[in-house]
Amino acid sequence: MNPSETITFFLIGVAVLFVVVVVWILFRKRKKWAIGLTCILVAGYIGSVAYYPYLQVSIHAERYEQVSEYLETNYPDREFTVIPEYYEAGYTVGVFDVSDKETPDIGVTLHVDDNDEVQQVSHWTDGGFPTQQELWRELEFTYGEAYTLDKDDVEITKQDEWIEGELTVFALTIDNMPAIAIYEYSKGGYGLLDLQVEKNDFVISAEADGYTFIYVDERYEDEKAAIQLENRETISVNTADHGGKLFVVE
C-alpha cells in the first residue's frame, strides 16, 4: 500500500473501532449480540485489508490491458515500453510510465481512471545527470511544447561548443535552422540561461556574462555578416573564417 492507502485504512479502522464501542454501549445488556456484531465488524475489516492487495493486482492487470490497447489503437506504427506490467508495492494502480522504444530516456505517465479513460498526467526523462558537453540534448525533450506521445520530433544537431568554467554555450541547428543555447553548469545542477533560434536567416547571436556568441551557418552566402549587439553596436564577422563555427567576442 502507498501512504495514502495506509492512512485510509487506518481511518476506516478508527471508524470500525468507534462503531464497536457504540455497539457495546447499545447492547451492554445483550453481550452475545455485542460479541457477534463485533466479530462481524472486525472480521470484515481484517478481510478487507487482507483482500485489498489482491484486488489491486487484478485492477492493475485489467488497466494494463486497457493502456496497451489504447497505445496500439492510437499509435499502430510505434512500439512502447509500459511499466509496470504487474502491480508492485510502491506503484499506483492504473498509473504507467510509457516510452517509445526508439527514445527510452524520455516518456510520459499515463493514468487509466475508473471510467476507463486514459490520460497523460506528466512527462519524464531518465537520462541521468548529463555531462557538460551533452547538456544540449535535453532540448530534444524540452524544446517547444511540453512532451507528449503526439509531439512532433525535433531535429537538433550540435555544430560547435564553447565552455568556460560553468558557462556552457552550444551552436546548434534546430529543425535545420541555426540556434545558440547558453547553459550554466555545475556539480550541483544546471539550467538553460538563454536559447536563441533563428527563423529566417543563417546568422544568429546571443550574449551572456560579457560575451557575445555568434554562429554563422555554412549556408550563409555573403562574405560578411553584420551583427547588432544589445547595446546597439554593430560588429562585422568574416563568414569565410567563422562559417560553421561558434565565434566568441569579449
Side-chain angles (χ1 to χ4, degrees), residues 67 70-71 94-96 98 108-112 118-120 149:
V67 79
Y70 168 84
L71 294 170
V95 175
F96 304 91
V98 179
V108 300
T109 300
L110 299 181
H111 175 235
V112 184
V118 179
Q119 297 180 340
Q120 177 178 330
L149 296 179

Side-chain angles (χ1 to χ4, degrees), residues 98-111:
V98 179
S99 61
D100 192 307
K101 288 188 176 181
E102 293 185 358
T103 55
D105 290 338
I106 59 176
V108 300
T109 300
L110 299 181
H111 175 235

Side-chain angles (χ1 to χ4, degrees), residues 22-199:
V22 172
V23 166
W24 278 91
I25 292 174
L26 294 176
F27 295 97
R28 57 184 178 275
K29 294 183 179 180
R30 298 181 178 180
K31 291 186 177 180
K32 289 184 178 180
W33 281 71
I35 292 172
L37 290 173
T38 298
C39 290
I40 292 173
L41 289 169
V42 172
Y45 175 72
I46 294 175
S48 297
V49 173
Y51 176 68
Y52 187 70
Y54 298 98
L55 179 63
Q56 287 180 304
V57 170
S58 176
I59 294 175
H60 189 83
E62 179 181 341
R63 293 183 178 177
Y64 177 84
E65 294 299 326
Q66 291 171 334
V67 79
S68 297
E69 182 179 346
Y70 168 84
L71 294 170
E72 184 176 348
T73 300
N74 289 277
Y75 311 99
D77 299 326
R78 298 166 65 182
E79 294 186 17
F80 296 94
T81 299
V82 182
I83 299 174
E85 180 176 356
Y86 304 103
Y87 177 76
E88 301 174 14
Y91 286 97
T92 301
V93 172
V95 175
F96 304 91
D97 286 337
V98 179
S99 61
D100 192 307
K101 288 188 176 181
E102 293 185 358
T103 55
D105 290 338
I106 59 176
V108 300
T109 300
L110 299 181
H111 175 235
V112 184
D113 61 24
D114 293 336
N115 297 319
D116 298 333
E117 294 289 334
V118 179
Q119 297 180 340
Q120 177 178 330
V121 295
S122 64
H123 56 268
W124 51 266
T125 178
D126 193 29
F129 196 82
T131 64
Q132 195 166 8
Q133 292 76 14
E134 296 295 312
L135 282 174
W136 64 276
R137 290 193 176 278
E138 72 153 10
L139 291 172
E140 296 173 327
F141 176 66
T142 61
Y143 180 72
E145 61 185 16
Y147 181 79
T148 68
L149 296 179
D150 297 311
K151 183 179 180 180
D152 294 332
D153 292 336
V154 179
E155 183 179 348
I156 302 179
T157 305
K158 182 175 75 171
Q159 303 297 334
D160 201 1
E161 67 181 41
W162 181 89
I163 297 175
E164 182 70 27
E166 295 184 354
L167 191 62
T168 310
V169 184
F170 299 101
L172 309 167
T173 53
I174 299 180
D175 287 337
N176 213 32
M177 294 304 294
I180 292 177
I182 302 176
Y183 287 87
E184 187 175 45
Y185 181 92
S186 69
K187 293 182 179 179
Y190 63 92
L192 179 65
L193 301 179
D194 191 17
L195 174 65
Q196 297 292 328
V197 183
E198 181 57 55
K199 300 297 184 182

